[in-house]
Each structure stands twice: as C-alpha cells, then as structure tokens.
Amino acid sequence: MALWDKIAGEFIDIIEWTDDTQDTIVYRFERHNNEIKYGAQLTVRESQVAVFVNEGKVADVFQPGMYTLETQNLPILSTLQGWKYGFASPFKAEVYFLNTKRFTDLKWGTMNPVMLRDPEFGPVRLRAFGTYAIRVKDPAAFIREIAGTDGRFTTDEITDQLRNLIVTSFAGAVATSGIPVLDLSSNYDKVGQVIRDAIQPEFDAYGLEVATLLVENVSLPEEVEQALDRRSSMGVVGDLGRYTQFQTAEAIKAAAENPGGAAGIGIGMATAGGLASAMGGAVRQGAQQTPAAGSAPPPLPGAEAYHVAIGGKQSGPFPAAELQGLVRDGRLTRDSLVWTPGMASWSKAGEVAGLAALFADQPPPLPPA
C-alpha cells in the first residue's frame, strides 16, 4: 500500500491559471483526455472563477479560493460521475477559468451616420464614438451563450457584437433624452447612462455586465458644422456695416504698405482705388444706418426732400408733394431759405433748380418802388 500511495501521490494534479494576457475572458485548462485525478488541488485566484463542465453541461462553479477536489467539494460531479472504480480513480471534466475583472477601454462608434430628428434643426445625421467596460456577471450563462467550447476566448471575439448593440441603442437614447443636438456635448454623462440602461438587458442574456459606458464625442456632418461656424461668426461680428468698414480700411492699409515694384504699385493703386470706392459705399451705408446726433432722419429712398425756414425756424424735411402745398399756403416763396442733403449751404428756393417748377405759375416779386 505504501508503494501505491507513493505512485498515486505523484499523479495529484494542480489546476490553476495565471493570466499573462489582457484580453482573455475564458481559458480552458488542458488535460490529456480531460482526466483529473481525485484529490487534485484547484486554485482559483481573485478576479477568477472556475467552471467544471461535464458531458457538455455546467456542473460546478468555484469562486476564488483553494480546493481539494474530493467528494465533499464536488457534490454535483460526484452524482454525475458515479466513480464506479472508486473515488481514488480519475474523473473526466472540462475546467474553464473565467476572468471576472473589468475589461476596460473597449471602443464603440457609429460606422455610418445615424439619422435623427432634432427639435431645432429638423432631420440631422450624427456620428458618435466612445468607450465602455464589461465584466462577466454570470459565468455559466457566458459559457452557454457565448464561449461554448472555445479553448481561449478573448474580447476581440465579442466586441463587434457588443458595439452593434450599443450603436443600435444610441439613436433611441438620444431621441428619448429630448436633448437638442447643440446641448449634447454638455450632457454626455446623461446620454451614456441612458444607453447603458437600454443595453443592459441584452448584455444580461450573455452573462455580462456593462460596468461603464462613456460618450466621448457626438459630431455633425462636415458641411453642417461649417454652416454652424458661419452662423457663429456672424454672431461674433455683430454690426456687419461697421465690420465691412474696418476690413476695407485694413485692406487699403495693407495695399499701401505693399513693397512690390512698378507692377505691384500699379496693382496696389488699382486695388486701393477699388477698395476706396467700396469703403466709400460702406461709409455712406454706415452713415445712412447711423445718423449723426441732432440731425433729422434721412428721406425715403428715391424721394428728394427739403428743409424749409418758416417763421425763422427750420421745418421739414418736406417731400416734393408737400412743397406744392406750402407754396399755395404762402409759407414757401422764392425768397424762402431751403436746404437738402448735397447742398453746401442754405439757399433761396427761387435759386434752386430742383424747385423752379414750383414757382412756374407764380408771378415774380414786384420791383422796388
């Protein structure tokens, strides 16, 4: 018996797994013919669980700790195996180690833009990307639904499927959140939580838990972003008339400082002349938009109006249709002083060519006695 005990002791297995990778979720402990000796030592480290599979069915799940594989530690396997040759004989079972740590920095993103309806812009197309972390929550379910008999199952084998679940839920999450597109950047945490809550039931079926889900960026198509940039620029510029005057003045200054030769000078002069004309138009436009303090508002476009001195006081401006009435009332005569924009000073109405028609049927003043 001593010799047999010595020989049997040499066959005692040590079953353990030290993970030297960063992406392995499931590792199958390899044994010849899957034979494990009775009394073998099983070591399950923190962030691991060991799953025993007998004839394709999950038999036992061992949490972190050290176990001697005997009858008291294998209640289910003891019933299934029977051990007709005695408990000291080997038994067959597949041992899978599952990594229960968090697998972080997994990427998700929309391969194509997602169509949404925004309350401000209407139909828009959005792209989004971010990261997420998962961990195994139900080892038996993960073995049954995902890993199967794969001897080494890594995150690369499931991330495509998980990404599709996240992207599918993204459009619904943004739509149900009611957050406008322009406010999404300040609500990434809320959007991420909504997506996480939406996809967790799907992950439960795989025996997985979504530990975290982060939205890093949500973007519009390039042409829409350019339109938004132009709109923002208009808001920053403010008064376009004054901005045009400033830009024109800067362009004239740059043309005048151009140190080019004769051809450059000619081009600069022509450019400066054109810019000066544009500046003049901009200045006139600014003058019309912002009248000087104390001056009367300008007349309507296309209507020539005159200020008239009546009773020693300035009145008007009066459009041409009203001037005829002033003549009939005697408040406007040839000797009345008038002025309109473009005149250097006040002049007598009878000396203004534009008002000559008003006095055509009026007799001239009597000569002095």
Side-chain angles (χ1 to χ4, degrees):
M1 291 297 296
L3 179 60
W4 172 251
D5 291 339
K6 180 180 179 181
I7 296 175
E10 293 180 353
F11 287 97
I12 298 298
D13 283 332
I14 298 177
I15 304 173
E16 63 180 354
W17 174 49
T18 54
D19 184 16
D20 57 355
T21 69
Q22 297 297 322
D23 60 351
T24 301
I25 303 178
V26 178
Y27 170 77
R28 183 175 61 205
F29 185 80
E30 296 295 341
R31 293 294 298 152
H32 179 65
N33 292 328
N34 294 327
E35 290 186 351
I36 300 174
K37 300 299 185 296
Y38 183 80
Q41 298 294 318
L42 171 65
T43 301
V44 183
R45 290 174 170 79
E46 290 291 344
S47 75
Q48 293 180 351
V49 293
V51 178
F52 278 60
V53 177
N54 177 260
E55 296 181 358
K57 296 181 180 180
V58 175
D60 286 296
V61 178
F62 290 84
Q63 300 298 324
M66 182 174 291
Y67 304 89
T68 299
L69 300 182
E70 297 175 342
T71 306
Q72 60 269 28
N73 289 330
L74 298 168
I76 300 179
L77 272 179
S78 299
T79 303
L80 295 176
Q81 292 282 349
W83 281 311
K84 64 180 66 176
Y85 300 106
F87 288 119
S89 63
F91 61 91
K92 289 190 175 185
E94 297 174 282
V95 181
Y96 291 88
F97 285 92
L98 277 80
N99 210 332
T100 58
K101 71 174 185 178
R102 289 192 180 192
F103 292 90
T104 60
D105 201 31
L106 303 178
K107 309 295 183 182
W108 70 270
T110 56
M111 298 181 63
N112 297 303
V114 178
M115 182 70 73
L116 295 172
R117 185 178 297 278
D118 184 70
E120 183 174 354
F121 298 114
V124 294
R125 293 182 295 120
L126 296 180
R127 288 183 179 272
F129 63 85
T131 60
Y132 65 101
I134 60 172
R135 59 182 295 271
V136 176
K137 181 174 67 172
D138 187 343
F142 189 81
I143 290 288
R144 286 194 300 266
E145 301 294 335
I146 301 298
T149 59
D150 195 339
R152 182 182 289 270
F153 190 91
T154 63
T155 56
D156 292 339
E157 299 180 58
I158 194 174
T159 49
D160 288 345
Q161 175 65 17
L162 301 182
R163 182 182 65 242
N164 293 337
L165 291 175
I166 296 173
V167 172
T168 301
S169 299
F170 168 74
V174 174
T176 56
S177 67
I179 302 174
V181 170
L182 294 182
D183 296 332
L184 283 176
S185 59
S186 60
N187 290 276
Y188 283 167
D189 290 343
K190 180 178 179 180
V191 175
Q193 185 61 45
V194 173
I195 297 175
R196 180 184 174 187
D197 294 342
I199 63 176
Q200 185 56 59
E202 297 286 344
F203 279 53
D204 286 339
Y206 298 156
L208 295 173
E209 176 188 0
V210 185
T212 58
L213 190 144
L214 303 177
V215 180
E216 296 183 10
N217 180 266
V218 177
S219 60
L220 292 163
E222 184 178 355
E223 58 273 15
V224 178
E225 292 183 347
Q226 293 175 356
L228 285 176
D229 290 341
R230 290 193 295 269
R231 178 177 175 180
S232 301
S233 300
M234 291 175 62
V236 172
V237 167
D239 190 335
L240 291 179
R242 293 183 181 274
Y243 181 74
T244 302
Q245 296 175 33
F246 173 76
Q247 290 290 88
T248 304
E250 290 293 310
I252 293 175
K253 178 181 177 181
E257 294 177 352
N258 186 3
I265 294 175
I267 295 174
M269 292 177 64
T271 304
L275 292 174
S277 176
M279 182 177 180
V283 171
R284 287 193 297 273
Q285 180 182 2
Q288 291 177 358
Q289 293 177 351
T290 55
S295 64
L300 294 174
E304 189 173 17
Y306 288 84
H307 295 266
V308 181
I310 302 176
K313 296 181 179 180
Q314 174 183 330
S315 301
F318 299 100
E322 295 183 17
L323 291 177
Q324 187 66 50
L326 296 179
V327 173
R328 289 196 299 268
D329 295 342
R331 290 186 292 170
L332 176 60
T333 66
R334 286 186 174 91
D335 294 328
S336 299
L337 295 177
V338 297
W339 180 87
T340 188
M343 295 176 59
S345 61
W346 290 80
S347 302
K348 292 182 178 181
E351 298 175 358
V352 178
L355 300 179
L358 295 175
F359 306 103
D361 55 350
Q362 298 291 325
L366 294 174

